[in-house]
Amino acid sequence: VRVEDPKACPRYTGIALSGVRVGESPEWMRSRLKAVGLRPINNVVDATNYVMLETGQPLHAFDADRIGGGGIVVRRLPEGTPFVSLDGKERRLDSEDLMICDGTGRPLCIGGVFGGLESGVSESTVNVFLESACFEPTGIRKSSFRHGLRTDAATRFEKGVDIGRTAEVLQRAASLLCEVTGGRERQTRSTRAWKLAD
């Protein structure tokens, strides 16, 4: 992970999970999400939403096999760069949008706002990269309004999240995700790095 603008993203933590089986969430999780007005999607997305509601920290799950270049880079891209979001719409980026990119520079997500279609979790996903980060509130708010994406994550980030809990919440989410998907934590250098980073 490389963060090119630490003011806009003062902390970024991630963990890699393998052997994930994407499917329907357990009944207890689906019923609790429905009780607060969230529509269950699949066990990966539902687990991240469940932990967000539990802790106040938004999370994002990527299909790890769609992350090129062997890494994550948090950066800004040139004005007008095309990006296809999870809703299937092509958006033209503003030079001030903070993006989560892969090691090749390809945009994967509008940081703290909305994920990309090409890196999203699908039924065929078996490896997941899970993100828990802290973003500067003003930039998130501007990007959210600029693209008309008033997501749960954006509204939480623009109010501020606890920078000291990103890794703790990440571990909670990874544990729950493994429980409901049958996945396991990958023992890689990057997996250990976030535990030692602070």
Side-chain angles (χ1 to χ4, degrees):
V1 173
R2 186 172 82 249
V3 179
E4 293 187 355
D5 189 340
K7 182 178 179 182
C9 179
R11 181 161 297 162
Y12 189 102
T13 62
I15 194 166
L17 306 172
S18 59
V20 168
R21 294 188 299 274
V22 179
E24 190 175 63
S25 297
E27 173 57 31
W28 65 264
M29 182 178 286
R30 284 184 282 125
S31 63
R32 291 179 188 181
L33 290 174
K34 288 175 185 175
V36 294
L38 285 184
R39 179 178 60 88
I41 297 172
N42 61 51
N43 49 5
V44 175
V45 176
D46 293 351
T48 62
N49 283 335
Y50 188 87
V51 174
M52 178 184 71
L53 293 169
E54 187 179 65
T55 65
Q57 169 70 49
L59 301 120
H60 188 71
F62 300 89
D63 185 323
D65 294 323
R66 296 181 177 186
I67 299 174
I72 292 286
V73 183
V74 184
R75 58 175 297 200
R76 301 185 197 279
L77 294 173
E79 184 89 25
T81 299
F83 171 70
V84 181
S85 50
L86 276 170
D87 56 6
K89 294 181 180 178
E90 182 176 280
R91 302 172 188 278
R92 294 287 168 171
L93 299 178
D94 187 276
S95 61
E96 291 301 306
D97 292 327
L98 187 68
M99 302 300 295
I100 311 302
C101 301
D102 67 12
T104 70
R106 183 172 60 101
L108 306 175
C109 179
I110 301 176
V113 179
F114 208 51
L117 186 63
E118 293 183 10
S119 63
V121 171
S122 69
E123 291 181 358
S124 62
T125 297
V126 292
N127 298 306
V128 166
F129 179 75
L130 188 60
E131 163 196 293
S132 176
C134 181
F135 298 105
E136 189 273 321
T138 303
I140 296 297
R141 183 173 175 81
K142 287 180 178 179
S143 287
S144 174
F145 275 101
R146 185 182 296 125
H147 296 288
L149 293 168
R150 300 299 296 148
T151 60
D152 281 345
T155 55
R156 289 171 189 270
F157 278 125
E158 67 188 35
K159 292 174 184 173
V161 298
D162 185 351
I163 191 172
R165 296 193 68 201
T166 53
E168 172 193 338
V169 173
L170 179 67
Q171 187 60 67
R172 162 62 180 148
S175 176
L176 180 61
L177 209 149
C178 288
E179 178 187 328
V180 299
T181 67
R184 61 191 179 279
E185 184 179 326
R186 278 198 212 168
Q187 294 302 315
T188 64
R189 286 185 301 165
S190 59
T191 302
R192 292 193 298 271
W194 73 262
K195 292 178 180 176
L196 302 174
D198 296 320

